[in-house]
Amino acid sequence: MSQLPNGWEMVVGLEVHTELLTKSKLFCGCENHFGSEPNSNVCPVCLGLPGSLPVLNHEAVELGMRIGMALHCTIAPSTFHRKNYFYPDQSKDYQISQYDLPLNSGGYLDLPDGSRVGIERAHMEEDTGKTTHMGGSGRLAGAERSLVDYNRCGVPLVEIVSAPDIRSAAQARAYAAELRGILIATGASDGRMEEGSMRIDANVSVRKTGEPFGTRCEIKNLNSLRSLQRAIDYEALRQIDILEEGGRIRQETRHWDETAGETSTLRVKEDAEDYRYFRDPDLVDLAPSQEWQDAVRAALPAMPAERRAAVAAMVASPTSAQLDAIEVVVDLGLERFIHETVAQGGDAALAISRVANELASNVDQAQHLNVSAFVATVKMEQSGALSATQAKEILGVLMESGGDPVAIAAAKGYEQMSSDSLGAIVEELITANPDEWGRYRDGDDKLAGFFTGLVMKATQGKANGKAVVAELQARR
Amino acid sequence: MTTAVSIAHDVATGATTASAALESSLATIAERNGEINAFLYVDTDRARAMAASVDERIAAGETVGPLAGVPIAIKDNMCQIDVPTTCSSKILEGWRPPYNATVIDRLVAAGAIPVGKTNLDEFAMGSSTENSAFGATRNPLDVSRVPGGSSGGSAAAVAANMTPVSLGSDTGGSIRQPAALCGLVGLKPTYGLVSRYGLIAFASSLDQIGPFTTTVADTALLMEVMSGHDPMDSTSLPEPAPSLLAHVNEGVAGKRIGLVKELYEGSDAEVLESVRRAAETLREAGATIVELSMPELSLGLSAYYLIAPAEASSNLARFDGVRFGNRVNAPDVTAMMEATRTAGFGPEVKRRIMLGTYALSAGYFDAYYGQALKVRTLTIAAFQKAYAEVDLILGATTPGVAFPFGSKTKDPMAMYLNDVFTIPSNLAGDPAISVPFGTGEANLPIGVQLLGPGRSERALLAAARVLEIADGRA
Amino acid sequence: MSDSTSPLRRDDVAKVARLARLILTDEELDLFTVQLGQVLEHANDMNALNLADVAPTAHPYGLTNVMRDDIITPSLAPESFLSQAPDVQDGRFAVPRILGEAP
């Protein structure tokens, strides 16, 4: 799995923070909304005014449990702790989080490649406000002053901490992608890394296989799955370079620069910040009843892995290309097209191909595509009434403006070619290409493709590929 | 001395008006506050508008609340919209909260007239009100002496007749001790009975708001208005306000009352005498007095002086000059926070923040804060064991009468020892009340303390009433 | 002023002051080292106890599971608190330059 030189292995753990899709904040009734006027969704509680007190949002706990269950965690009685530190975006200068007794712990996530990554915990905590830096380049360094908006302060977060089980950047990316799919499937999150509703930090260290874990660095500012993968690869090599020259890795937080393609020091962790965690005396313990947990579990929607498996089960011995296509289909939430096709006696493999290619090219349009119209189109292609090219055309029209596939086919003149006219064209081409015909007759099956191509050209794509092959074989 | 009960009655029956009651209060304040310094802020215009509004509603025949027309003073650590709220600290000087504490809303809904904000030890940290950034408050009964703390201003306001009742807060004795030193009835309710929403927190797991009054009946009336579940406070008990006023005369016949030696030993001779006489009074009224010892209580002081500062160090972190309060500028935000807090907090507040930060810090947590929380469990268990044998407990409130200014300020430990009889109830979360009973040196009042298990306010007030009658005051 | 008998060392106190965002003078550092030391000495009677089997108290009456419904309630009008803020720009709270990233 690792492509690192000289027996080196990378060890990676990921910390993912996701905002929850509640209407109101974690500890107060202010609206949980991205993009409002600054400081228009704040109250004494989330502004941290003296005398204010937190009250826990029931829905946030429900979503927190859904995430835990989807990740096969144990749900246990938990407490809220204060994490004390001074920072302008933290309105109370402490964050209400969970410490030694988190809501969810001890789970795992299975990746499509069959590997399993442990989940240490998935706990609840509140988000901070947002700072804008004035002067300088807009980044923190070089700014003269900063402006704080507390709209985001108090928004509910779940922090998901993986075990350091990840051994490659590609695996890290797969983990992040799968986790994102799960978070969206639970309804707890919208997984929008670009908007910051899902944030990933990577902890990376290297070692020679079999040796104890090395010193790790934390990498921040990973705004896409691609950045995540690039940054981890870069960081592993950076650390290997240092160690091979006899140096030591300094434990620190590093910032990923997407443009420069490198990590740089943000903060050295020599003096570990003392957060003085203690149980928040303004909140009481949380122990979701067995009844509540059972209800959440019963209502948990199917997760991406389950949904992929359901689609894959409809294809005998799916190829890896088909499995990739199924991943795309489920990731986009479009598997209903395949299920309906199969339910109506259509071909799963064909449906998968059309969804993963044609529908995936415009997901918004695909979401509004009439399922029956899709099924009808696929079945027409399957029966030979439409060629592949024609079927794709029709799907394009349906996605853009809807309609009835039969009518569209008629309007475009996509009639079924009679076997007589097809046969005549095949005869012409056989006559025009005697050498190739000779070789095909002698057993070179590959030339079926040669002739099919010519037929397609001659018929402007109207011929049905299978019918062409049948004609060739009949004359062999 | 007029009481809340009598003013409410007279206003409701038309014998007087809310405006008249208020003007009387304002006149006394004008006359005496210069010397006493009970009030930091008198909210004259707003109070007059509220009194006028009450009078209008009564004239129009509308129903008004059970406290209609009663002037009340509010300790300046409770948020009242648009009224300067300082916690007696420079760091909050000039700050006007944009919201009301729940208790304020409930009092106002009941028709009470908040007259102004009273002095306290800065951020409620102290036992004499000498730690205020805006000058000490004088004990109206002897102006060379302290009124107690931290709610000294609220106690003095009532003792000086400025208002019939006032609100204080009690974290380690800050209602009961000033009540004892000023000759008032002071109740610390069951933890969670009165909402903390809008009370500027000192130690979240110990703080409770409670009333200063001159009669047990007034305490009952105020508690009925203020207490009961508040959805804005997660630690608030789930039940509604208890019925108390109707039961204040039910006496103590058949009750078993424990006389706990750890709650009076070491007191001045006159205090011991008051406690002894109080026990005698209760026995004559039909209670059985049982002598008890609760050795676990002696650990309470240490536990308290770790738990309270620890929680306070976190609660006071928000005073960083970013969003509210008085900022001291500096080139970077960390320096600004340091400069702001250093200039804004007084020495006692800094001392407790330092102590609390240390008790929570890595490497020391288990030895100090963690251990203190376990001592808390022992304290609760000790009370549970005691209440298996008795219904209520009797003790002293303070070891002595009001002390002269400056007599305990040199040594913080000496000041902390004032709280030894009151702290256990805060640790346990149980209610306790101080009732005036007898006098001591220089004719200064002595308070005796009654303690009860959680939610026993009704029995506590009834026992307090027995003592009140015997003391000849009501 | 010797603090050799105090359970607290002067540089512990200095570290704590930084954590608490307080600037102490040398005199205050000395004084606090002694005074805090006294409180902690007093706490030694607690530390002598073996409380390994005692659970810390969370809420004295064992309240649990206090929650609110996920309903939006009115926020504060920005003017009500911005008018009280030390430095405001563009509807946001202004602070002098921040030197480090958030933890």
Side-chain angles (χ1 to χ4, degrees), chain A residues 187-318:
Chain A
S189 169
D190 61 20
R192 297 205 181 126
M193 284 182 77
E194 359 50 86
E195 266 179 30
S197 61
M198 178 171 157
R199 301 162 220 161
I200 309 183
D201 299 328
N203 287 298
V204 182
S205 66
V206 295
R207 63 171 181 183
K208 291 282 175 113
T209 315
E211 298 275 297
F213 285 172
T215 304
R216 65 175 195 231
C217 292
E218 183 183 24
I219 308 174
K220 285 174 136 23
N221 195 41
L222 303 166
N223 295 326
S224 67
L225 295 180
R226 181 172 173 270
S227 300
L228 173 68
Q229 186 167 2
R230 289 182 71 208
I232 292 173
D233 273 329
Y234 172 87
E235 179 61 18
L237 290 175
R238 183 191 78 86
Q239 293 188 14
I240 289 168
D241 279 347
I242 292 173
L243 291 171
E244 291 207 322
E245 277 176 28
R248 279 176 55 242
I249 304 299
R250 204 170 49 172
Q251 184 179 18
E252 59 186 1
T253 302
R254 297 178 69 83
H255 173 96
W256 169 250
D257 185 330
E258 181 67 26
T259 330
E262 56 187 33
T263 62
S264 56
T265 304
L266 205 55
R267 181 174 68 245
V268 179
K269 275 184 172 182
E270 270 159 16
D271 234 353
E273 175 92 45
D274 185 357
Y275 296 118
R276 287 152 283 139
Y277 284 99
F278 71 103
R279 208 196 128 266
D280 193 331
D282 289 330
L283 292 166
V284 298
D285 291 348
L286 177 63
S289 68
Q290 194 55 54
E291 221 172 34
W292 188 12
Q293 290 183 47
D294 291 343
V296 175
R297 198 178 298 278
L300 202 59
M303 291 297 116
E306 229 182 294
R307 288 153 56 197
R308 288 193 299 260
V311 176
M314 294 187 223
V315 179
S317 313

Side-chain angles (χ1 to χ4, degrees), chain A residues 141-204:
Chain A
E144 283 155 20
R145 72 205 229 109
S146 298
L147 306 182
V148 193
D149 169 16
Y150 293 99
N151 280 346
R152 196 184 65 179
C153 194
V155 162
L157 294 177
V158 168
E159 177 178 343
I160 302 157
V161 181
S162 84
D165 292 345
I166 296 168
R167 293 288 175 272
S168 76
Q171 189 187 18
R173 181 177 181 157
Y175 169 90
E178 188 69 10
L179 181 57
R180 176 146 139 269
I182 286 174
L183 293 174
I184 294 170
T186 59
S189 169
D190 61 20
R192 297 205 181 126
M193 284 182 77
E194 359 50 86
E195 266 179 30
S197 61
M198 178 171 157
R199 301 162 220 161
I200 309 183
D201 299 328
N203 287 298
V204 182

Side-chain angles (χ1 to χ4, degrees), chain B residues 16-95:
Chain B
T16 187
T17 60
S19 302
L22 175 64
E23 290 310 316
S24 168
S25 164
L26 292 173
T28 310
I29 294 171
E31 188 192 314
R32 299 204 65 189
N33 198 53
E35 181 187 33
I36 303 293
N37 195 34
F39 281 86
L40 296 177
Y41 183 79
V42 184
D43 200 18
T44 312
D45 292 343
R46 195 189 321 261
R48 283 185 170 145
M50 290 175 74
S53 161
V54 167
D55 286 335
E56 272 161 37
R57 293 195 345 254
I58 291 178
E62 289 172 32
T63 15
V64 287
L67 285 176
V70 177
I72 182 165
I74 309 291
K75 183 176 182 180
D76 201 24
N77 61 354
M78 297 177 215
C79 291
Q80 195 180 341
I81 291 181
D82 208 38
V83 177
T85 301
T86 68
C87 295
S88 291
S89 177
K90 295 222 278 285
I91 213 168
L92 272 185
E93 192 173 10
W95 183 58

